[in-house]
Amino acid sequence: MADSILEKFRQYSCFDVGYVEGLAYALEPEIRPVLPGAKMVGRAFTVNEINAICKNIFDEIGQDEVLVVRGRDPKRRGGCGLQVCELVRARGAVGVVIDGGAQDTPKLKRLGFPVFSRYVVPTHGALKLAGATQVPIECGGVLICAGDIVMGDDDGVVVIPQGNEKEVLRQIELMREARDYVDAMTREGVPLWDIPGLQEMWAEKERGLDYHWKVYEKWNAKNIPPAMRKSKI
């Protein structure tokens, strides 16, 4: 059965999620896509191993999941290459995030499967016959639990804990609604500061409510014509 929450998040970018403070978290900026332009949205399948991929993940990972590996290795060996990606993709996974090294990247790029890693290396890691999966891990400086939503694109990787999903969606939609309306007005030739209420909203944000959803909720209700409103959550 399709995951309706994931479908909604696929409309948005990591930049959109970045507007929401305290409910969603960005991994450290060193975690970057191997393939520029790659995008993924899925639920975390966590692996608590360093420099090793567990053999049991190839039986356990499932549809619309993102393989998330702790992966930091003092020897800076690789932990994710072509074979791992082909195997998890065949199980329905939609991407990999490893707080460690990716390898064999020319083939990974040709595969087109989203992989986000801290670094790229030519050296090989290890395959364990069994390991700890679906346990809380730290990846990219963020605590990630099995089932959390993981999004990745050219801006990096963000995580939305399961209990925050609906509220994050609601706040994103309010902020996106305001931004889209302002963009539409400026494309029609309306000077930015002539858009009704925009200066007041900016002043309110400067008083310490920067990107706070309540500012957008109030401004949207007052200034955006009902026919142009999108928020339904």
Side-chain angles (χ1 to χ4, degrees):
M1 190 172 79
D3 188 325
S4 60
I5 294 291
L6 288 183
E7 289 301 318
K8 290 177 180 178
F9 272 103
R10 289 189 178 110
Q11 303 173 56
Y12 300 112
S13 66
C14 291
F15 174 75
D16 292 321
V17 176
Y19 272 93
V20 181
E21 297 180 349
L23 297 175
Y25 307 95
L27 272 61
E28 291 167 341
E30 291 79 10
I31 308 292
R32 303 299 304 158
V34 169
L35 175 65
K39 183 174 181 179
M40 66 181 184
V41 179
R43 293 196 178 274
F45 181 97
T46 59
V47 179
N48 190 26
E49 298 294 335
I50 298 176
N51 187 45
I53 294 294
C54 308
K55 180 177 179 293
N56 47 310
I57 69 171
F58 305 129
D59 298 320
E60 297 173 8
I61 196 166
Q63 190 69 33
D64 290 328
E65 290 187 317
V66 175
L67 177 62
V68 184
V69 186
R70 181 161 65 107
R72 197 81 70 90
D73 175 25
K75 295 184 179 179
R76 297 179 73 84
R77 291 170 292 186
C80 178
L82 178 66
Q83 186 177 52
V84 168
C85 291
E86 287 182 329
L87 288 169
V88 299
R89 186 176 73 163
R91 295 275 303 173
V94 294
V96 175
V97 179
I98 180 168
D99 193 347
Q103 62 203 52
D104 207 7
T105 57
K107 293 178 182 176
L108 288 181
K109 290 177 180 178
R110 288 196 293 273
L111 183 66
F113 188 68
V115 177
F116 294 76
S117 67
R118 184 172 289 272
Y119 46 82
V120 171
V121 291
T123 49
H124 290 256
L127 175 67
K128 286 192 173 183
L129 295 181
T133 61
Q134 298 296 63
V135 294
I137 64 170
E138 182 179 317
C139 181
V142 175
L143 178 67
I144 303 177
C145 297
D148 289 347
I149 291 179
V150 181
M151 297 176 60
D153 59 28
D154 281 339
D155 284 343
V157 178
V158 295
V159 175
I160 303 100
Q162 290 183 75
N164 298 348
E165 296 167 358
K166 291 185 178 180
E167 182 60 20
V168 169
L169 277 171
R170 191 177 77 86
Q171 293 189 25
I172 290 173
E173 190 161 86
L174 285 166
M175 296 172 188
R176 179 77 169 265
E177 181 179 66
R179 203 167 72 236
D180 289 351
Y181 177 69
V182 170
D183 289 346
M185 292 298 98
T186 55
R187 282 195 294 269
E188 290 178 7
V190 179
L192 184 64
W193 297 120
D194 287 349
I195 297 173
L198 192 61
Q199 290 196 55
E200 290 81 359
M201 180 177 74
W202 215 264
E204 192 167 0
K205 287 165 61 179
E206 288 181 347
R207 289 197 294 271
L209 292 173
D210 192 30
Y211 296 128
H212 197 288
W213 66 270
K214 289 183 179 179
V215 175
Y216 291 90
E217 183 177 52
K218 183 169 65 175
W219 186 84
N220 293 8
K222 183 179 179 181
N223 295 284
I224 300 179
M228 299 183 69
R229 296 293 309 274
K230 301 175 184 176
S231 297
K232 299 179 180 64
I233 295 175

